[in-house]
Amino acid sequence: MNKRKKIGLALGSGGAKGLAHIGVIKTLLENNIPIDYIAGSSIGAWIAAHFGLYQDISKLEEYTVLKKKEKFYTLLEPAYKGGIIKGKKLEKLLSKWLENASFKDTKIPIKIVTTDLVSGESFVISKGSLVTAVHASMAIPTLFKPVEYKDRFLIDGGVSNPVPDDVVRGMGADIVISVNLDNYQKNEKFGLKDLKIKRTASRGLNIMRHYLAEYSIRNSDFIIEPYLPDIGILSWKKYFTKEFGPKIINIGVKETKEFIDDIKKEMESD
């Protein structure tokens, strides 16, 4: 009997767009495609941690789509150095939702990608506090203060490795499925009429993110890129509307269905 190929999932950064990750996971599970390893950056770190810990897609959807009041209050904590928001309230909320778990408590192996603000290098966490790792990976520069971790100051994993397929491959995955939320060539339209300072600056940042993400998916066997036009990394205003969450999750479902047959064929191949 042939040994089953191990499946690894790399969940990319992308702020509010990360709700699409739930649709991806839901569709893989519904089609009996197992998830053996997960690595995540930024919002992908939260999804990876919660699913890896509980393996409960309904609970993950509830905590990611709903509970908006609790999330909003974590923003009401001004800082005066390193970022606009301290992040202590965020860490407290994560501690509650993840029950102060550590990496050894997860049901499947996970790794969380952060960025070392001093060295500028990607820094992967796979031991210790799950909460600290997720907090660090979600610490968007200038918005949140960097997270102190031993002798490091850590920020958003999406800054250095937005789609950590190399991390998943290194964990032992035979098949790597990546979810890239930063395909701005696909998702964003821009023309000469858009040459306002704010729009131009945003476009420049998005182009940079696009090519960094493209560099990050070189180790992927399957790349799922949900079509999410007009949704930026900081589209939290849209996030707080009732229809946003289910809409983005369904887009993740739709895009993943296109890959199911090919993934199964790869699983069955020698």
Side-chain angles (χ1 to χ4, degrees):
M1 184 175 180
N2 292 333
K3 185 178 179 181
R4 180 178 69 78
K5 291 184 178 180
K6 297 293 185 179
I7 309 294
L9 188 60
L11 300 178
S13 61
K17 295 182 292 183
L19 293 169
H21 290 322
I22 297 173
V24 173
I25 294 174
K26 183 183 293 189
T27 306
L28 293 176
L29 297 178
E30 287 176 350
N31 286 275
N32 299 313
I33 296 174
I35 300 170
D36 299 295
Y37 309 102
I38 312 182
S41 286
S42 199
I43 185 65
W46 156 254
I47 301 293
H50 194 283
F51 183 75
L53 183 63
Y54 300 111
Q55 287 195 310
D56 186 335
I57 195 66
S58 296
K59 186 175 182 179
L60 174 59
E61 184 171 347
E62 176 191 353
Y63 278 65
T64 308
V65 175
L66 304 177
K67 299 187 179 292
K68 295 175 181 178
K69 184 183 294 185
E70 295 96 321
K71 295 167 191 170
F72 177 75
Y73 284 138
T74 66
L75 306 178
L76 304 180
E77 189 186 24
Y80 303 99
K81 185 178 180 181
I84 299 172
I85 302 168
K86 287 182 181 179
K88 294 297 183 182
K89 289 185 177 180
L90 172 61
E91 182 143 339
K92 185 177 180 180
L93 186 63
L94 289 172
S95 296
K96 178 181 177 182
W97 288 354
L98 296 174
E99 301 182 80
N100 289 310
S102 64
F103 281 84
K104 64 180 176 58
D105 298 317
T106 61
K107 293 181 172 64
I108 55 178
I110 73 166
K111 290 190 176 184
I112 301 299
V113 178
T114 70
T115 303
D116 187 318
L117 185 61
V118 177
S119 71
E121 297 177 344
S122 179
F123 181 71
V124 180
I125 305 178
S126 58
K127 296 180 180 178
S129 169
L130 204 57
V131 171
T132 301
V134 173
H135 178 193
S137 189
M138 295 176 68
I140 300 171
T142 72
L143 184 61
F144 287 97
K145 288 184 63 175
V147 175
E148 292 188 49
Y149 179 83
K150 298 181 179 179
D151 59 343
R152 300 176 185 269
F153 289 90
L154 303 178
I155 59 173
D156 196 319
V159 172
S160 59
N161 193 355
V163 192
D165 66 351
D166 58 326
V167 177
V168 175
R169 182 72 74 187
M171 293 171 76
D174 301 303
I175 301 172
V176 176
I177 304 169
S178 293
V179 188
N180 176 25
L181 304 175
D182 284 332
N183 188 336
Y184 286 96
Q185 302 288 41
K186 174 181 178 181
N187 288 326
E188 184 179 65
K189 293 181 180 180
F190 189 88
L192 295 180
K193 60 180 175 59
D194 298 308
L195 288 174
K196 295 180 180 179
I197 292 177
K198 182 179 178 181
R199 189 79 172 86
T200 302
S202 174
R203 177 63 173 170
L205 176 62
N206 289 344
I207 291 171
M208 180 175 66
R209 289 183 60 85
H210 173 90
Y211 285 106
L212 178 58
E214 192 172 80
Y215 181 82
S216 291
I217 52 180
R218 297 176 301 162
N219 294 280
S220 304
D221 296 298
F222 300 95
I223 303 166
I224 300 171
E225 296 180 310
Y227 180 56
L228 300 165
D230 304 318
I231 300 173
I233 189 171
L234 297 178
S235 293
W236 294 110
K237 186 176 180 180
K238 294 180 181 179
Y239 168 79
F240 284 98
T241 62
K242 184 177 181 180
E243 66 277 2
F244 183 82
K247 175 183 176 182
I248 302 304
I249 290 173
N250 286 336
I251 290 172
V253 169
K254 179 181 177 182
E255 295 286 345
T256 307
K257 284 180 177 179
E258 300 294 325
F259 290 86
I260 294 301
D261 289 343
D262 289 336
I263 293 172
K264 286 187 173 182
K265 286 179 183 178
E266 183 65 24
M267 289 173 62
E268 295 167 0
S269 66
D270 294 330

